[in-house]
Amino acid sequence: MKTIKAVDAGTLTGRPLRYFDLVMCAFVVILLLSNIVGAEKRAVIHLPWIGDWPFGAGILFFPVSYVIDDVLTEVYGYARARRAVWAAFVALLFMAVMEWTVVHLPVAEGWNGQAAYERVFGAGWRIIGASLCAFWVGDILNSFVLAKMKVATNGRWLWMRTIGSTIVGEGADSLIFYPLAFYGLPDWPVAALGMVMLSQFVLKVSWEVLLTPVTYAVVGFLKRREGIDVYDTDTDFSPFHARV
C-alpha cells in the first residue's frame, strides 16, 4: 500500500493519477442524469407528525454531485475539480442543445410520441439557462471553499469543510436557480418560491451530512491508492479556465 504524501497541487503536473478520470466521469454522468431523469417529477413522501411532503425527485441524486465535487477537490485539488466542473458544464450545454434539436425536428407521419417528448425534454431556455448558471457558480464555490478550508485547517476536520462548502455551494445554487427560472411566473408567488428554495436547500445539505461516512471512506480509499493528499497552497483560483 502506498504511503500518503502531502503535496502541493502544482506538483501533480505530469504525474499519473489512477482514478481521477473515473471520478470525473461519475461526476458528469450524475449531473446529466439528475437533469434528465429526476428534474421534472414531483414525488411525495409521508412523514410522521408532518404528513405528505412533496419534493422534486432530482433531490435524491443531484446532491451526490456535490459529494463527488468534494472528493475531487479534497483528493486531487481545486484545479482538477474545476476542470471536472467545466467538463460537466459543457456536457449539460450540449444536452440542452440536443434536447431542443430533437424536440423541434419535424415529426414523421404516424409517430405519436411528440407530446411525451415535449413534456420530458421540452424545458424552456429560461430554466435551462438558470440551471447552467446555478450549477457552475455553486460547484465552483463549493470547490473553492473546501480547498481554502483545507489549507486553513491543515487538513483536519474533513466533515467541517465538506459540509461547510456544501452550505455555500448549494446556497448559491438555490439562490440563483429558483429566481432565474421561476420569478414572476403567475403560478410561482414569491412566498411559495421562498419556501421551495429553503426546503430544497435544507434537503440538499442534509444529504451531504448523511453521506459523510461515505465521503470519508471514498476519500480515504483514493488517497491511499493515489498516495497523495493535495493542498492548494499556490493555486490559481480563477474559475474562468480549465487548466491544471
Side-chain angles (χ1 to χ4, degrees):
M1 184 179 295
K2 292 184 178 180
T3 301
I4 300 175
K5 182 180 179 181
V7 298
D8 181 74
T11 65
L12 292 185
T13 303
R15 177 174 179 164
L17 299 172
R18 299 174 64 184
Y19 295 97
F20 171 72
D21 56 342
L22 298 178
V23 180
M24 182 171 70
C25 181
F27 178 68
V28 174
V29 167
I30 288 174
L31 279 167
L32 290 176
L33 292 178
S34 295
N35 279 272
I36 295 175
V37 180
E40 182 66 21
K41 183 173 180 178
R42 283 179 292 178
V44 66
I45 186 173
H46 185 79
L47 299 176
W49 305 294
I50 296 177
D52 290 342
W53 183 278
F55 64 95
I59 197 70
L60 294 176
F61 297 98
F62 175 73
V64 177
S65 68
Y66 271 78
V67 175
I68 298 179
D69 191 21
D70 290 341
V71 170
L72 283 166
T73 308
E74 175 68 23
V75 178
Y76 300 105
Y78 171 85
R80 282 172 174 76
R82 175 182 58 198
R83 190 176 185 86
V85 170
W86 273 109
F89 181 87
V90 173
L92 287 167
L93 182 60
F94 175 78
M95 182 186 73
V97 172
M98 183 175 176
E99 285 179 336
W100 186 92
T101 302
V102 172
V103 167
H104 289 85
L105 284 173
V107 178
E109 184 177 353
W111 190 69
N112 299 316
Q114 181 65 16
Y117 249 77
E118 291 178 0
R119 182 69 180 87
V120 176
F121 299 114
W125 281 105
R126 179 176 176 179
I127 293 178
I128 292 171
S131 178
L132 287 169
C133 292
F135 154 72
W136 186 80
V137 174
D139 275 74
I140 287 290
L141 280 175
N142 183 75
S143 294
F144 176 81
V145 171
L146 191 144
K148 287 292 189 180
M149 288 183 68
K150 182 174 183 178
V151 174
T153 61
N154 198 28
R156 294 171 293 176
W157 309 313
L158 174 59
W159 63 270
M160 182 185 294
R161 53 184 180 273
T162 58
I163 297 172
S165 64
T166 296
I167 290 173
V168 175
E170 292 282 17
D173 185 290
S174 296
L175 285 172
I176 292 171
F177 174 73
Y178 288 100
L180 284 181
F182 304 116
Y183 180 77
L185 297 180
D187 54 346
W188 280 89
V190 174
L193 187 65
M195 285 299 296
V196 170
M197 287 173 57
L198 179 61
S199 64
Q200 295 292 297
F201 169 74
V202 170
L203 287 171
K204 291 173 183 176
V205 175
S206 297
W207 259 123
E208 178 76 40
V209 174
L210 290 173
L211 290 174
T212 294
V214 177
T215 304
Y216 266 81
V218 173
V219 165
F221 169 82
L222 290 173
K223 285 183 179 180
R224 289 191 300 270
R225 298 304 296 269
E226 301 284 17
I228 54 173
D229 187 12
V230 175
Y231 287 77
D232 286 288
T233 53
D234 192 25
T235 297
D236 174 10
F237 283 97
S238 170
F240 299 112
H241 62 78
R243 295 190 302 272
V244 296

